[in-house]
Amino acid sequence: MDWDTTLDSSKTLEVLSPDTVISHQFMRRVWPATQRDTCFASHIRKVNLTSQSPDEKGSYIVVNYSIDHPEAHSRCIRATINVSMLCQTFVDPPTDDLSTVTRDQLKCKIIYVAHSNPGGWVPASVLRTVYKREYPKFLRRFSAFVQEITKDKEIKW
């Protein structure tokens, strides 16, 4: 995951279905704290939100939720997460003829909600500082990553 600078490594432990996996991730150690890891189920789904956003042309939601798994062993402190990300695609200027749309006309609205507990003891002021820096950085890097890998690909509606 090139877009996540807090991630050291990631391993898929189990594929439950084409849209649901169980992952075990190790976060980069931030001195002087102990390294953290997470084990979570991750699910992605295409959703239709045109009743709420008539100009919306395609939306996906990703949900990550901490779980226990017998293969997720480590000496790290286990962090827990509950994360949701909704990505909505719009065409600017709006059109119903999607066959003429270019990537330059695509706009994406991202709603990102994350609750994370790093486990162990970390001062709240340190957490706030890290979160204020890392969440926006993650979203910028994720957006740039998606734009880069899709720039020469056909738009799939």
Side-chain angles (χ1 to χ4, degrees):
M1 293 192 199
D2 297 333
W3 63 85
D4 191 348
T5 60
T6 65
L7 190 61
D8 192 31
S9 65
S10 180
K11 179 180 180 184
T12 299
L13 299 179
E14 195 171 340
V15 177
L16 302 178
S17 67
D19 55 7
T20 307
V21 298
I22 297 175
S23 292
H24 188 200
Q25 295 185 341
F26 292 85
M27 312 319 284
R28 292 188 196 271
R29 183 176 180 271
V30 179
W31 185 89
T34 303
Q35 187 176 22
R36 268 48 177 187
D37 73 333
T38 59
C39 180
F40 59 93
S42 183
H43 179 75
I44 185 169
R45 176 166 292 177
K46 184 171 176 55
V47 292
N48 184 341
L49 300 176
T50 53
S51 61
Q52 292 89 355
S53 302
D55 291 336
E56 180 262 347
K57 299 300 181 192
S59 295
Y60 285 87
I61 188 165
V62 177
V63 178
N64 296 335
Y65 190 80
S66 286
I67 62 169
D68 291 322
H69 193 279
E71 294 178 35
H73 306 289
S74 81
R75 294 183 178 178
C76 299
I77 293 177
R78 180 64 47 94
T80 58
I81 61 168
N82 185 355
V83 177
S84 297
M85 182 169 64
L86 174 66
C87 299
Q88 290 180 278
T89 303
F90 297 90
V91 176
D92 186 25
T95 182
D96 289 328
D97 183 7
L98 299 181
S99 65
T100 63
V101 174
T102 65
R103 288 215 172 264
D104 293 338
Q105 293 173 266
L106 297 182
K107 305 295 178 211
C108 188
K109 177 180 176 183
I110 298 175
I111 299 171
Y112 184 79
V113 179
H115 172 79
S116 61
N117 180 344
W121 182 85
V122 180
S125 61
V126 171
L127 290 177
R128 279 191 297 274
T129 300
V130 170
Y131 293 155
K132 283 181 182 178
R133 179 186 68 226
E134 292 302 324
Y135 283 145
K137 184 176 174 183
F138 165 80
L139 290 173
R140 281 190 306 273
R141 288 181 60 90
F142 178 74
S143 295
F145 174 79
V146 171
Q147 288 174 353
E148 179 61 29
I149 67 166
T150 60
K151 69 181 179 186
D152 297 324
K153 295 183 179 177
E154 176 186 348
I155 300 172
K156 295 181 181 178
W157 301 106

